[in-house]
Amino acid sequence: MAGPTLEELLREFKIEPATTPTSGPRAKLLRQADRMLDELDKYKTEEELDGDTTRFWWAPQSVNGKRRVSVRYGGKVVKGLATNADNTLPAVREVVETFKKLIEKSTDDTWAAEEERRKK
């Protein structure tokens, strides 16, 4: 005797399976910007910007008193959206906030070329 199917059990317990809404590049970038700002909120000194990986928008080390800040999502840098900031928390935060403002003014259409580039 076979048991109930998953679909039957979901109906019985009135569970609506969650669907993952696809979000556009603008939404992804805004989520990442907020995540970067939340991370910066935890830091007290610029030494905390140092690291071993590039999982954040700022480079894991400074070079000659500057730190590269690159917008990224999906593990890739957005072409053309990188700059150098002084190696201070306020300077790095200011760049991330400026990038966020730029993203807020954009639409998904703004990122069409970037999305196309990523497909290649």
Side-chain angles (χ1 to χ4, degrees):
M1 180 169 153
T5 67
L6 178 57
E7 290 79 17
E8 291 168 341
L9 290 170
L10 289 171
R11 268 194 309 274
E12 178 183 339
F13 288 93
K14 296 180 175 59
I15 295 174
E16 287 288 325
T19 58
T20 306
T22 57
S23 60
R26 181 180 178 275
K28 292 174 189 172
L29 287 163
L30 285 172
R31 269 196 309 279
Q32 285 297 321
D34 287 337
R35 190 173 146 252
M36 296 304 113
L37 292 169
D38 288 346
E39 187 66 25
L40 287 170
D41 284 344
K42 300 174 190 174
Y43 296 173
K44 304 257 186 283
T45 67
E46 40 276 338
E47 285 82 26
E48 293 175 273
L49 294 168
D50 292 343
D52 299 325
T53 66
T54 55
R55 65 183 194 160
F56 301 119
W57 285 8
W58 50 91
Q61 67 281 330
S62 67
V63 176
N64 298 325
K66 298 285 185 181
R67 191 171 297 261
R68 186 168 176 82
V69 182
S70 307
V71 173
R72 58 178 65 235
Y73 74 96
K76 296 180 182 177
V77 172
V78 176
K79 186 177 180 182
L81 239 90
T83 191
N84 291 314
D86 289 336
N87 187 38
T88 65
L89 279 175
V92 171
R93 171 176 278 288
E94 181 180 344
V95 170
V96 173
E97 288 172 343
T98 300
F99 281 147
K100 181 179 178 187
K101 289 175 190 171
L102 178 150
I103 296 162
E104 286 172 336
K105 284 191 85 167
S106 73
T107 66
D108 279 338
D109 291 340
T110 306
W111 308 105
E114 176 66 18
E115 286 290 288
E116 193 59 37
R117 182 182 76 86
R118 288 169 178 248
K119 290 178 185 175
K120 295 179 181 177

